[in-house]
Amino acid sequence: MRSYQTIYRGGEGEITEKKSRFIATVIPVNEEEKALEFIEAMKKKYWDATHNCSAYVIGERGETKRCSDDGEPSGTAGRPMLDVLEGEGLRNVAVVVTRYFGGTLLGTGGLVRAYSCSVQAGLASSQIVTRISGSKLQITTDYTGLGKIQYILGENGIQVLD
């Protein structure tokens, strides 16, 4: 059976690094259009923020992956965020990290660390579930056939719901 981890219910996490405030918002998405709508909604919500960096992974096998640094130095925001999502094995998820600049430059290493930690904080407040692909069947039999069916299902590792 194919299985993958995804977000059941999104969440929000926040960290502060050298007076800069990082707010990570995580949601489940199942198509790129919804991810782009979410990113635009976050940019409108946090219109006064310095940066709204984003990353998303869509598809059971992670077919669609995108990230944006939104004005941060190249490779310091979007890619580390995407790396966290991929490292957790998550699919059908989008995250936006909003940064309010605190006046102190963090440097490239500090930015990578801050954006990665922000995504981890957002995931910590989200509910992660494992999705398993399968088929639901209904089998009807008399009492004498029940034992045989249970044996066959057990031998093949098929889960009985009821």
Side-chain angles (χ1 to χ4, degrees), residues 56-116:
Y56 57 88
V57 179
I58 299 174
E60 288 181 20
R61 293 178 207 90
E63 296 91 2
T64 306
K65 301 173 188 177
R66 304 272 189 274
C67 60
S68 167
D69 292 323
D70 191 43
E72 290 283 22
S74 182
T76 60
R79 187 70 222 179
M81 292 166 57
L82 187 60
D83 288 344
V84 171
L85 297 179
E86 289 178 320
E88 295 289 329
L90 292 169
R91 304 290 181 260
N92 294 335
V93 60
V95 62
V96 172
V97 175
T98 303
R99 178 185 183 196
Y100 287 97
F101 183 64
T104 304
L105 295 176
L106 300 177
T108 56
L111 286 172
V112 169
R113 197 169 34 260
Y115 279 102
S116 297

Side-chain angles (χ1 to χ4, degrees), residues 141-155 160:
T141 185
D142 59 4
Y143 186 74
T144 57
L146 181 61
K148 290 179 186 176
I149 291 172
Q150 287 177 331
Y151 175 78
I152 291 168
L153 295 175
E155 285 291 307
V160 177

Side-chain angles (χ1 to χ4, degrees), residues 118-144:
S118 299
V119 173
Q120 290 168 347
L123 292 175
S125 68
S126 302
Q127 187 175 359
I128 299 174
V129 295
T130 301
R131 286 246 164 117
I132 302 172
S133 299
S135 299
K136 188 173 179 180
L137 303 173
Q138 182 174 347
I139 302 172
T140 306
T141 185
D142 59 4
Y143 186 74
T144 57

